Amino acid sequence: MYREIKIQPFQFKSPYLIFLMAIMGVSLSCSGTRITSSWRDPYTHIHEGDLKKILVVAWMSDSTSCRIAEDEMVQYLGGVGVASYRYLPVHKIKWNTAEGNQKLKDDRFDAAITLRLIEVDKEKIYTPRQQAHYPEYYRDFGRYYYRNQMYRNVEPAYVVSQKFRVETILYSIEDDQMIWSGITATYDPENVQKLTREIAGVIHKQMIQEKFIEPESSTK
């Protein structure tokens, strides 16, 4: 069942941890993505360069999307990220055991970041009738016409929008525990790459606001 969201009429007028540190210098436009909830370990604070190796894991709608998301996230790591599909299958280990965690430590992983697609919602958005002034060049058509046709109408319409909810969790391998988590909502992403980039951007901003990470410039 669709949820209906009403938009007010308007007038028309004439873009962890090293994962985050790597994207700190990149200005991303994240207008289509927002954080709906987040949690952080109050006793953990990260400085740039603290982590040297991060495992990236993604669970999307299919294996291809998982790999694309992991590769996109690894790009931000600048040499310290490792996609899980390139690492985990190579080792015949049960990763939910102490042996699995020890293997990650032995291979010098400092952290793991996971992205999991929770759900995709469809929302039916109603846009009511709108009125707007004609552009300036309409004035030359004739005073009388302009005076009597000051406004044009846009008929009301329904538009279906898709909302992707993704859970992102950051784990400390050394302490074997979660240190940050958040849920994001993204409307109508163009592709998996754009979805991942936007999530990275809003998470980076949120962690700085929470003082969970400290930018390099603030340590000088």
Side-chain angles (χ1 to χ4, degrees):
M1 179 179 296
Y2 290 127
R3 293 194 296 272
E4 294 189 5
I5 300 176
K6 297 215 171 181
I7 300 177
Q8 294 300 320
F10 61 94
Q11 286 190 330
F12 293 95
K13 294 182 179 180
S14 330
Y16 270 29
L17 323 196
I18 293 294
F19 150 65
L20 292 168
M21 296 306 124
I23 63 174
M24 283 176 57
V26 181
S27 177
L28 297 174
S29 174
C30 304
S31 58
T33 299
R34 63 186 178 86
I35 288 186
T36 59
S37 64
S38 68
W39 172 88
R40 55 158 296 188
D41 179 357
Y43 302 105
T44 299
H45 299 275
I46 305 299
H47 298 275
E48 183 173 4
D50 278 356
L51 302 183
K52 304 295 190 296
K53 193 174 184 181
I54 301 172
L55 183 67
V56 178
V57 185
W59 292 287
M60 296 295 174
S61 58
D62 55 75
S63 59
T64 299
S65 296
C66 292
R67 292 186 176 208
I68 292 174
E70 290 184 10
D71 288 341
E72 186 66 29
M73 194 64 74
V74 165
Q75 275 196 347
Y76 291 113
L77 298 174
V80 301
V82 177
S84 72
Y85 75 86
R86 297 182 182 275
Y87 173 80
L88 297 181
V90 175
H91 306 284
K92 307 302 180 182
I93 295 176
K94 292 184 178 180
W95 296 103
N96 60 340
T97 64
E99 179 188 10
N101 189 65
Q102 186 58 50
K103 176 60 177 175
L104 293 174
K105 291 180 180 179
D106 292 344
D107 287 347
R108 300 185 180 279
F109 281 97
D110 300 300
I113 185 166
T114 65
L115 295 93
R116 181 172 66 91
L117 178 63
I118 300 175
E119 63 180 352
V120 180
D121 289 336
K122 288 185 178 181
E123 295 184 352
K124 194 174 184 180
I125 302 176
Y126 174 71
T127 303
R129 181 186 298 274
Q130 301 166 10
Q131 291 184 327
H133 289 284
Y134 275 104
E136 288 292 325
Y137 56 80
Y138 273 75
R139 294 176 183 270
D140 295 335
F141 187 79
R143 292 181 180 275
Y144 180 82
Y145 180 82
Y146 175 74
R147 184 171 61 249
N148 288 279
Q149 295 283 14
M150 188 69 171
Y151 295 95
R152 64 183 172 90
N153 294 327
V154 178
E155 293 301 318
Y158 285 92
V159 177
V160 176
S161 179
Q162 286 190 317
K163 180 174 71 174
F164 289 69
R165 296 181 66 235
V166 176
E167 177 187 61
T168 302
I169 299 178
L170 186 65
Y171 291 94
S172 166
I173 300 302
E174 178 64 31
D175 298 327
D176 193 19
Q177 66 178 15
M178 178 194 306
I179 55 177
W180 192 94
S181 67
I183 295 178
T184 54
T186 304
Y187 285 86
D188 298 322
E190 295 178 6
N191 49 49
V192 177
Q193 291 97 326
K194 184 174 176 62
L195 172 67
T196 306
R197 285 196 301 270
E198 290 199 358
I199 290 173
V202 297
I203 286 176
H204 162 245
K205 182 177 180 181
Q206 181 76 8
M207 287 185 172
I208 288 209
Q209 289 178 344
E210 295 174 348
K211 300 187 184 304
F212 179 75
I213 60 174
E214 186 173 355
E216 182 180 17
S217 59
S218 65
T219 63
K220 293 181 178 180

